[in-house]
């Protein structure tokens, strides 16, 4: 039976959220939590219709990449009524043997037949999406062949009961190995080792031709799919997954990495070819892959059970021939044990999972930044913090190739700096790289200057696949920036601006096994703190005195986290916020610097409510905003009951929040509609703050 839980009101220090949708208010507290499908049933999720009227296109390498690495985001998008399309670049034919791992894999009765195995995987994916969307895994699909923008044909599947849900199959050959360097693969095609990649058509496909695809044709085909569906959110895999220390092998399947690079190129081509007006703005969310298996779990047990239920449907766990196909109804390699690789228990974003993209400008003004269409966009709000305070935007800064995620810094005179990483494709395959860039206002409240590149600490794309973190930055009292980044060797590096305005070289600050984006905060004494999560704990670098070189890395002794961190000054120290593994509950601890560069003092860990959910949180005063287990943006607070007060807004990345000079608490998210949504709690003369109203920051014309 679907499981529901009652929402609790938060303590009076935490504002209860109300949702403003086309002028109507719906109080979030008191609603029922999303009820999701439980293994053994065909019950779909019962999430209320989303307040964000966007659409989603997902681009993955193989059937099941989406279910392992993008769920529960998928099931929650489907349950909310969001139109959703998934594009599979390869057929996922592997070795052509549809059997579970273990003793059964040695069964001589199991034939090798790649076209039938690929068809079985298609059948399994269709059943899983039908179950997520309708509750009935046998809900029928319409299968047709349509021409691609790059030549050739692809297979289009439309769920008849809900035609806004589509699956698209390019049906190229897969690498047939996670890491072996086969030229007949997406990797070989991207790097120019083969002129075209051959198809692997499934046994039941309506595509009758035998198309081959050049690199340019694949990019054009992806661009054409995006033009057909006009998404406001594009989901893809991680184009820069990094390598394991020691072995040097990729931390992800090579097809995942190169499918994501093709997706990047296809999205860039689409944005360049189709102007805004003929398409909506779009944002991009990328997802971590195989590396999830080596990290603490991010999902709570109920969400894991639901996710595994969909994987069992895809994996043809019961082996009944309910699909009526001679090829089989799913992928027995998964159905035999969907948790064997430790992927089903997690979801992690590879980019944009930090909360430092909202920043104050001149008194009373705010700036919010996000990447739209591969360009940095900003919204600004003038003086006044009431629900009617006017936001303007988005304004897109010139320059393309900006990766998801933005971080900010504020100069002493009130000017704002925005930082990001930028993907450079270059003319040759070996030119691909990520580099760090920033843009600064010329005067407080004024326009932003051109992007300035700080390059990259990587020697090239090959050794570390350009796996650098998003940058974090802080400004000295004299106006000089210092930028921090984690490199592909999992250490912390920094570049500091000289008095001349130029930047010095990269300084190696040490650390090992770093995984998160670094986060920076300054305590009340003016000492800078830098933190990064590892697979087992959190490490710190702290100035022993204002202006002194950072000391560290120091062990904090904090428990393992789910990786994203948020840091905010509090009293004489800095409070860290992170999620508890296998739960999603928000935890906090205060780190206080010790005299003379000694080990810092770390408080005991407390839990701040908001049980379940995943991803980074935004913090303003005692208000915590984050993703609840339903996938919506929600609020909780320090000392509040163990519950989120939820909204109906599904969103990309992480929330950002800020306590303004007048005490107002402002939170923003980028919805799946690629629109900025904001909520503000106003200060009052009583202990109970006003209830903030979520609204689209810039009303529709």
């Amino acid at each position: 039976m679907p499981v529901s839980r009652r929402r609790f009101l938060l303590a009076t220090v935490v504002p209860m959220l109300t949702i403003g949708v086309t002028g109507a208010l719906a109080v979030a507290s008191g609603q029922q939590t999303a009820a999701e499908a439980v293994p053994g049933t065909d019950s779909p999720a019962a999430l209320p219709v989303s307040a964000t009227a966007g659409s989603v296109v997902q681009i993955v390498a193989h059937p099941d990449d989406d279910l392992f690495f993008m769920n529960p985001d998928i099931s929650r998008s489907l349950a909310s009524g969001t139109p959703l399309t998934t594009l599979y670049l390869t057929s996922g034919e592997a070795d052509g043997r549809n059997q579970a791992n273990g003793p059964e894999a040695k069964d001589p009765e199991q034939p090798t037949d790649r076209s039938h195995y690929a068809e079985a995987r298609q059948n399994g994916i269709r059943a899983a999406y039908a179950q997520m969307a309708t509750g009935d895994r046998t809900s029928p699909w319409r299968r047709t062949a349509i021409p691609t923008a790059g030549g050739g044909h692809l297979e289009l599947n439309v769920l008849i009961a809900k035609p806004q849900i589509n699956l698209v199959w390019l049906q190229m050959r897969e690498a047939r190995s996670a890491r072996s360097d086969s030229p007949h693969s997406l990797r070989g095609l991207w790097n120019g080792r083969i002129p075209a990649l051959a198809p692997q058509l499934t046994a039941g496909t309506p595509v009758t031709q035998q198309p081959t695809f050049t690199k340019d044709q694949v990019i054009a085909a992806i661009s054409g799919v995006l033009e057909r569906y006009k998404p406001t959110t594009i989901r893809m895999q991680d184009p820069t997954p990094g390598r394991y220390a020691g072995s040097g092998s990729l931390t992800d399947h090579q097809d995942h990495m190169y499918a994501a690079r093709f997706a990047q190129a296809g999205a860039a081509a689409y944005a360049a070819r189709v102007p805004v007006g003929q398409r909506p703005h779009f944002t991009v969310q990328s997802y971590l892959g195989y590396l999830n298996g080596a990290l603490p779990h991010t999902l709570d047990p109920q969400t894991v059970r639901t996710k595994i239920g969909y994987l069992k449907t895809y994996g043809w766990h019961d082996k009944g021939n309910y699909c009526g196909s001679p090829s089989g109804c799913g992928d027995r390699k998964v159905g035999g044990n969907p948790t064997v690789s430790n992927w089903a228990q997690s979801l992690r974003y590879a980019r944009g999972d930090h909360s430092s993209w909202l920043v104050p400008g001149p008194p009373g003004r705010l700036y919010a930044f996000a990447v739209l269409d591969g360009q940095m966009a900003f919204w600004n709000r003038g003086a006044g913090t009431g629900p009617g305070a006017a936001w303007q935007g988005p304004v897109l800064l010139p320059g393309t190739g900006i990766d998801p995620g933005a971080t900010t810094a504020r100069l002493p005179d009130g000017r704002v700096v925005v930082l990001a990483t930028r993907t450079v494709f270059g003319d040759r395959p070996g030119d691909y790289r990520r580099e760090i860039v920033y843009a600064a206002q010329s005067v407080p409240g004024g326009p932003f200057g051109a992007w300035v590149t700080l390059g990259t600490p990587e020697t090239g794309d090959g050794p570390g696949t350009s796996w650098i973190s998003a940058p974090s930055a802080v400004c000295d009292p004299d106006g000089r920036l210092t930028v921090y980044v984690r490199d592909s060797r999992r250490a912390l590096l920094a570049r500091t601006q000289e008095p001349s305005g130029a930047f010095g070289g990269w300084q190696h600050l040490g650390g090992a096994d770093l995984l998160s984006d670094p986060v920076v905060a300054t305590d009340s004494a003016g000492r800078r703190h830098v933190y990064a999560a590892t697979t087992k704990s959190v490490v710190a670098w702290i100035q022993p005195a204002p202006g002194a070189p950072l000391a560290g890395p120091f062990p904090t002794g904090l428990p393992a986290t789910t990786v994203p961190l948020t840091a905010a000054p509090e009293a004489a120290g800095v409070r860290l916020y992170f999620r508890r593994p296998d739960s999603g509950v928000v935890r906090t601890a205060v780190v206080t610097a010790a005299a003379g560069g000694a080990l810092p003092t770390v408080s005991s860990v407390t839990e701040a409510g908001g049980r379940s959910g995943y991803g980074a949180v935004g913090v303003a005063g005692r208000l915590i905003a984050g993703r609840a287990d339903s996938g919506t943006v929600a609020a909780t607070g320090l000392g509040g009951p163990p519950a989120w007060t939820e909204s109906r807004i599904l969103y990309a990345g992480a929330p950002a929040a800020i306590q303004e000079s007048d005490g107002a608490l402002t939170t923003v998210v980028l919805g799946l509609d690629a629109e900025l949504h904001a909520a503000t709690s106003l200060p009052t003369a009583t202990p109970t703050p006003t209830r903030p109203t979520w609204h689209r920051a810039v009303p529709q014309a």
Side-chain angles (χ1 to χ4, degrees), residues 10-14 570 575-577 586-590 606-610 619-624 635-641:
L10 297 184
T12 56
V13 296
V14 182
E570 182 170 310
R575 184 177 288 275
L576 294 176
Y577 298 81
V586 178
R587 303 177 119 180
T588 76
V590 176
T606 59
E607 295 189 346
V619 176
R622 299 181 66 81
L623 174 70
I624 302 169
T636 185
L638 292 174

Side-chain angles (χ1 to χ4, degrees), residues 129-153:
Y129 272 79
Q131 184 182 24
M132 286 188 287
T134 72
D136 178 8
R137 66 184 180 182
T138 66
S139 190
W141 296 76
R142 182 182 299 111
R143 300 176 69 179
T144 58
I146 61 174
T148 77
H153 288 74

Side-chain angles (χ1 to χ4, degrees), residues 509-512 514 530-534 536-542 551-559 576 590-594 597-603:
L509 301 180
L514 307 185
V530 182
Y531 297 93
T534 70
K536 297 179 180 179
S537 185
V538 176
V539 293
W541 291 257
I542 302 175
F554 298 115
T556 63
L558 290 170
L576 294 176
V590 176
V591 183
T592 306
L599 285 173
T601 300
V602 182
S603 73

Side-chain angles (χ1 to χ4, degrees), residues 20-252:
V21 184
T22 62
L25 298 181
V27 179
S29 56
Q31 296 176 351
Q32 293 297 308
T33 304
E36 296 188 321
V38 176
T41 77
D42 284 340
S43 300
L47 187 69
V49 173
S50 173
T52 56
S55 62
V56 175
V57 169
Q58 305 173 155
I59 304 169
V60 296
H62 312 117
D64 81 7
D65 292 344
D66 43 352
L67 297 183
F68 273 118
F69 306 120
M70 296 178 176
N71 233 359
D73 278 359
I74 300 172
S75 61
R76 285 152 185 176
S77 296
L78 293 174
S80 73
T82 303
L84 186 145
T85 296
T86 302
L87 170 60
Y88 303 91
L89 298 189
T90 80
S91 289
E93 71 278 6
D95 62 0
R97 297 173 68 86
N98 194 9
Q99 56 191 2
N101 295 321
E104 184 185 348
K106 300 178 182 178
D107 183 354
E109 299 299 321
Q110 291 287 339
T112 296
D113 190 322
R114 289 189 167 93
S115 65
H116 278 287
Y117 177 47
E119 175 74 7
R121 295 188 76 175
Q122 275 205 21
N123 289 334
I125 282 290
R126 282 188 284 268
Y129 272 79
Q131 184 182 24
M132 286 188 287
T134 72
D136 178 8
R137 66 184 180 182
T138 66
S139 190
W141 296 76
R142 182 182 299 111
R143 300 176 69 179
T144 58
I146 61 174
T148 77
H153 288 74
L154 51 76
E155 178 177 339
L156 170 63
N157 301 164
V158 178
L159 184 60
I160 295 173
K162 293 194 173 183
Q164 74 272 24
I165 300 168
N166 289 193
L167 305 178
V168 180
W169 306 85
L170 210 53
Q171 297 190 92
M172 289 188 291
R173 170 193 164 122
E174 69 146 280
R176 302 178 182 174
S177 168
R179 297 179 178 89
S180 296
D181 187 11
S182 168
H184 298 285
S185 62
L186 292 173
R187 178 183 188 177
L189 185 63
W190 179 270
N191 288 326
R193 298 177 63 189
I194 54 173
L197 186 57
Q200 174 59 66
L201 299 184
T202 69
T205 185
V207 176
T208 57
Q209 301 175 348
Q210 290 282 326
T212 58
F213 292 94
T214 67
K215 180 178 181 178
D216 289 343
Q217 287 174 323
V218 174
I219 294 170
I222 294 171
S223 175
V225 169
L226 296 175
E227 184 175 7
R228 179 187 183 98
Y229 292 102
K230 296 180 173 56
T232 52
T233 296
I234 298 173
R235 294 172 177 159
M236 64 179 65
Q237 295 171 274
D238 186 359
T240 56
R243 297 182 184 274
Y244 287 111
S247 68
S249 61
L250 291 172
T251 65
D252 205 356

Side-chain angles (χ1 to χ4, degrees), residues 240-329:
T240 56
R243 297 182 184 274
Y244 287 111
S247 68
S249 61
L250 291 172
T251 65
D252 205 356
H253 195 298
Q254 60 180 314
D255 279 350
H256 299 175
M257 172 178 171
Y258 286 96
R261 294 190 178 190
F262 273 110
Q264 280 184 303
Y270 166 63
R273 186 171 52 83
V274 183
V276 174
Q278 298 180 27
R279 63 165 175 85
H281 289 301
F282 65 85
T283 188
V284 171
Q285 185 81 73
S286 56
Y287 291 77
L288 202 67
Y290 283 1
L291 188 57
N292 276 311
L295 302 178
H297 302 157
T298 67
L299 302 178
D300 65 277
Q302 178 178 318
T303 301
V304 171
R305 285 193 298 270
T306 301
K307 181 175 177 177
I308 290 171
Y310 297 135
L311 284 164
K312 286 182 176 179
T313 296
Y314 162 74
W316 194 21
H317 185 71
D318 61 8
K319 299 189 72 173
N321 193 15
Y322 51 84
C323 65
S325 170
S327 298
C329 298

